[in-house]
Amino acid sequence: MKQLYVIGDPVAHSKSPLLHNTMCALLGLDFTYACRTVHKEELAAFLTAAKESGCAGFNATMPFKELLLPYLDGLDPLAKKLGAVNTICIECNKLYGYNTDCPGYTAALRQHGFDPQGKQAVLLGAGGAAKAVALGLSEAGATVLVANRTASKAKAITSLCPDKIRPIPWPTADAPDLAGADLLVNATSLGMAGQGEFSDFTFLDALPAACLVSDLIYHPAPTELLRRAEARGLATMDGFPLLIHQAILALEHFTGHAIPPDQVLPALEAAVRN
Ligand code: ATR
């Protein structure tokens, strides 16, 4: 039985063990997946121990997505562009880094019936999660308008794909940029349990009736943003599809097996939503 982990600090809340162990049981894969709290100063020791113990790989969450980069022997081009990894495979004592948040988000959208090609997206936030979404959407052919509390960070994100990503002011009820949106994505921490909340939702009134409103947050699901969007008759997507698709793609890297999403989606949906 090969060992996999998710490391982070804090990480005890992670749903990754549930997702990966559900998939491994369903597909008969000989892997077991556990949660492992690693403090920043313990990272080097964890990596040495993981290699020595024959661990097959691990997922990384806060604060390691960027901190891991100097330790890697190989880096996937997408992860290199983002400057962040969430999936590390260990092969022959070497560490290879990938980012499955970025393709995971576009896979989640497609599963929801939304093809980003030629669409206009408004992205709220410019942190690590927002960067992955902005790159995924722009590479899938969407135009991405980024609004962030700290405008300089929205501007910085545009360097990922200057032709397709541009900064806009934080949206208001009459924001002209929202009228042409096919997709609105919340990648800020606003609405997350224990974090702040949007002080004003009237910007939702500026969205066209066919706009999909997506929140990366899954605790709670739905968020207040999605409840308000639903009340206005807009279609919504909560944070679970991203969580699920980034896990499917990570397990493909760890095991080398192609995992058809249709084979695992019902079990994963049931596991995380219960
Ligand atoms: P993650 O890795 O989850 O993306 P992050 O990199 O810390 O987390 O990014 C958090 C995002 O939420 C940022 O876009 C942040 O805005 P700033 O860049 O201005 O900090 C946004 N955010 C957090 N609290 C916010 C608030 N009270 N109002 C608006 N945006 C907020």
Side-chain angles (χ1 to χ4, degrees), residues 125-130 148-150 153 170 187-190:
N148 194 49
R149 175 179 61 178
T150 310
K153 281 169 71 182
W170 190 259
T188 73
S189 48
L190 291 174

Tab-separated table of all heavy atoms in Angstrom, residues 125-130 148-150 153 170 187-190, ligand 1:
chain	number	residue	atom	x	y	z
A	125	GLY	N	-10.992	39.074	-6.521
A	125	GLY	CA	-9.851	38.563	-5.774
A	125	GLY	C	-8.617	38.469	-6.646
A	125	GLY	O	-8.712	38.361	-7.882
A	126	ALA	N	-7.464	38.546	-6.000
A	126	ALA	CA	-6.201	38.478	-6.745
A	126	ALA	C	-5.139	37.750	-5.919
A	126	ALA	O	-3.945	37.988	-6.082
A	126	ALA	CB	-5.733	39.889	-7.106
A	127	GLY	N	-5.585	36.850	-5.033
A	127	GLY	CA	-4.651	36.044	-4.247
A	127	GLY	C	-4.272	34.783	-5.010
A	127	GLY	O	-4.441	34.700	-6.239
A	128	GLY	N	-3.776	33.790	-4.281
A	128	GLY	CA	-3.303	32.559	-4.914
A	128	GLY	C	-4.399	31.825	-5.675
A	128	GLY	O	-4.193	31.391	-6.814
A	129	ALA	N	-5.571	31.700	-5.072
A	129	ALA	CA	-6.663	30.975	-5.737
A	129	ALA	C	-7.111	31.731	-6.989
A	129	ALA	O	-7.377	31.121	-8.034
A	129	ALA	CB	-7.832	30.802	-4.760
A	130	ALA	N	-7.182	33.043	-6.882
A	130	ALA	CA	-7.614	33.860	-8.028
A	130	ALA	C	-6.630	33.720	-9.192
A	130	ALA	O	-7.035	33.654	-10.356
A	130	ALA	CB	-7.733	35.322	-7.610
A	148	ASN	N	-10.110	43.615	-7.358
A	148	ASN	CA	-9.568	43.239	-6.051
A	148	ASN	C	-9.531	44.449	-5.129
A	148	ASN	O	-9.368	45.579	-5.585
A	148	ASN	CB	-8.148	42.673	-6.208
A	148	ASN	CG	-7.663	41.963	-4.961
A	148	ASN	OD1	-8.393	41.124	-4.417
A	148	ASN	ND2	-6.480	42.287	-4.490
A	149	ARG	N	-9.711	44.184	-3.822
A	149	ARG	CA	-9.643	45.277	-2.836
A	149	ARG	C	-8.351	46.053	-3.015
A	149	ARG	O	-8.346	47.269	-3.059
A	149	ARG	CB	-9.730	44.673	-1.425
A	149	ARG	CG	-9.540	45.680	-0.319
A	149	ARG	CD	-9.661	45.020	1.027
A	149	ARG	NE	-8.660	43.961	1.257
A	149	ARG	CZ	-8.553	43.268	2.371
A	149	ARG	NH1	-9.388	43.497	3.374
A	149	ARG	NH2	-7.622	42.325	2.505
A	150	THR	N	-7.238	45.333	-3.138
A	150	THR	CA	-5.946	45.976	-3.355
A	150	THR	C	-5.692	45.987	-4.867
A	150	THR	O	-5.329	44.961	-5.464
A	150	THR	CB	-4.832	45.182	-2.628
A	150	THR	OG1	-5.249	44.960	-1.276
A	150	THR	CG2	-3.511	45.914	-2.657
A	153	LYS	N	-2.653	44.452	-6.776
A	153	LYS	CA	-2.555	42.997	-6.957
A	153	LYS	C	-3.377	42.529	-8.163
A	153	LYS	O	-3.001	41.587	-8.857
A	153	LYS	CB	-2.992	42.271	-5.685
A	153	LYS	CG	-1.881	42.266	-4.624
A	153	LYS	CD	-2.358	41.803	-3.282
A	153	LYS	CE	-2.680	40.320	-3.223
A	153	LYS	NZ	-3.202	39.930	-1.886
A	170	TRP	N	-13.426	47.523	-8.146
A	170	TRP	CA	-14.342	46.665	-7.376
A	170	TRP	C	-15.768	46.949	-7.847
A	170	TRP	O	-16.158	48.109	-7.956
A	170	TRP	CB	-14.183	46.951	-5.887
A	170	TRP	CG	-14.904	45.957	-5.035
A	170	TRP	CD1	-16.101	46.132	-4.421
A	170	TRP	CD2	-14.471	44.624	-4.710
A	170	TRP	NE1	-16.462	45.000	-3.738
A	170	TRP	CE2	-15.468	44.058	-3.888
A	170	TRP	CE3	-13.337	43.865	-5.034
A	170	TRP	CZ2	-15.378	42.764	-3.390
A	170	TRP	CZ3	-13.264	42.573	-4.526
A	170	TRP	CH2	-14.265	42.032	-3.712
A	187	ALA	N	-13.177	34.664	-5.729
A	187	ALA	CA	-11.950	34.001	-5.267
A	187	ALA	C	-11.350	34.787	-4.104
A	187	ALA	O	-10.167	34.642	-3.817
A	187	ALA	CB	-10.958	33.879	-6.424
A	188	THR	N	-12.172	35.615	-3.447
A	188	THR	CA	-11.714	36.258	-2.213
A	188	THR	C	-12.103	35.341	-1.051
A	188	THR	O	-12.766	34.323	-1.249
A	188	THR	CB	-12.386	37.631	-1.981
A	188	THR	OG1	-13.753	37.422	-1.591
A	188	THR	CG2	-12.339	38.506	-3.226
A	189	SER	N	-11.713	35.721	0.160
A	189	SER	CA	-12.130	34.936	1.326
A	189	SER	C	-13.455	35.444	1.888
A	189	SER	O	-13.942	34.903	2.888
A	189	SER	CB	-11.034	34.978	2.387
A	189	SER	OG	-10.602	36.302	2.583
A	190	LEU	N	-14.058	36.446	1.249
A	190	LEU	CA	-15.335	36.976	1.729
A	190	LEU	C	-16.418	35.911	1.592
A	190	LEU	O	-16.595	35.332	0.517
A	190	LEU	CB	-15.728	38.224	0.931
A	190	LEU	CG	-14.852	39.454	1.171
A	190	LEU	CD1	-15.242	40.583	0.226
A	190	LEU	CD2	-14.952	39.902	2.617
B	1	ATR	P1	-6.026	32.379	-1.332
B	1	ATR	O1	-4.730	31.651	-1.384
B	1	ATR	O2	-7.158	31.579	-0.766
B	1	ATR	O3	-6.370	33.010	-2.640
B	1	ATR	P2	-5.039	34.906	-0.418
B	1	ATR	O4	-3.921	34.763	-1.366
B	1	ATR	O5	-4.762	35.376	0.980
B	1	ATR	O6	-5.836	33.554	-0.263
B	1	ATR	O7	-6.125	35.903	-1.093
B	1	ATR	C1	-7.260	36.360	-0.408
B	1	ATR	C2	-8.084	37.252	-1.342
B	1	ATR	O8	-9.253	37.698	-0.628
B	1	ATR	C3	-7.348	38.527	-1.781
B	1	ATR	O9	-7.785	38.871	-3.079
B	1	ATR	C4	-7.833	39.540	-0.747
B	1	ATR	O10	-7.783	40.889	-1.178
B	1	ATR	P3	-6.430	41.767	-0.956
B	1	ATR	O11	-5.500	41.343	-2.050
B	1	ATR	O12	-6.882	43.159	-1.054
B	1	ATR	O13	-5.910	41.383	0.416
B	1	ATR	C5	-9.284	39.128	-0.611
B	1	ATR	N1	-9.864	39.621	0.640
B	1	ATR	C6	-9.629	39.175	1.888
B	1	ATR	N2	-10.361	39.891	2.790
B	1	ATR	C7	-11.058	40.802	2.062
B	1	ATR	C8	-12.007	41.838	2.401
B	1	ATR	N3	-12.363	42.056	3.672
B	1	ATR	N4	-12.522	42.585	1.392
B	1	ATR	C9	-12.175	42.359	0.098
B	1	ATR	N5	-11.285	41.399	-0.287
B	1	ATR	C10	-10.746	40.641	0.683
